[in-house]
């Protein structure tokens, strides 16, 4: 009986370690070719609050450290303003910008209580 309890405890520990190590407890990502573990590693390895994660299907994905959506919006506005985009308005999770008669929509979403995911058309800095 004691040996069985030790075995069960060891199995529970190993499963827990696997789940924690691979960040399986985090919500799903809308980015197809990145794992949750990779995203967390990129965030932790960066000295900046806003980290470029990936470009896929014509979209650039970023993650912003911190759970403050207003602060994330300001970082996005600053980055796009440096590329000539003028902020026009915010509706829901969308930030609308304009440059030379072109429109650009950036969407944000809370990924966890600590990170904001940002999706921007990949050609925003051309």
């Amino acid at each position: 009986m004691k040996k069985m309890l030790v075995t069960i405890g060891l199995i529970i520990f190993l499963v827990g370690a696997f789940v924690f190590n691979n960040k399986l407890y985090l919500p799903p990502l809308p980015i197809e070719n990145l794992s949750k573990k990779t995203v967390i590693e990129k965030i932790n390895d960066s000295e900046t609050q806003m980290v470029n994660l990936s470009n896929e299907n014509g979209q650039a994905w970023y993650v912003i450290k911190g759970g403050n959506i207003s602060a994330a919006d300001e970082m996005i506005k600053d980055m796009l303003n440096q590329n000539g985009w003028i902020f026009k308005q915010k509706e829901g999770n969308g930030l609308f910008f304009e440059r030379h008669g072109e429109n650009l929509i950036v969407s944000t979403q809370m990924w966890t209580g600590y990170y904001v995911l940002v999706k921007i058309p990949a050609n925003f800095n051309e």
Side-chain angles (χ1 to χ4, degrees), residues 73-120:
D73 289 350
E74 292 305 314
M75 279 188 245
I76 295 163
K77 289 175 190 176
D78 289 345
M79 180 179 76
L80 289 173
N81 189 279
Q82 292 173 9
N83 286 282
W85 292 97
I86 311 281
F87 175 72
K88 291 298 179 184
Q89 66 185 28
K90 178 176 180 168
E91 287 185 31
N93 69 337
L95 298 161
F96 295 80
F97 295 85
E98 186 178 292
R99 177 179 76 179
H100 308 298
E102 291 181 66
N103 294 314
L104 181 88
I105 302 171
V106 176
S107 63
T108 61
Q109 75 180 71
M110 291 299 298
W111 181 41
T112 71
Y114 303 106
Y115 307 109
V116 177
L117 292 174
V118 180
K119 181 171 75 169
I120 304 174

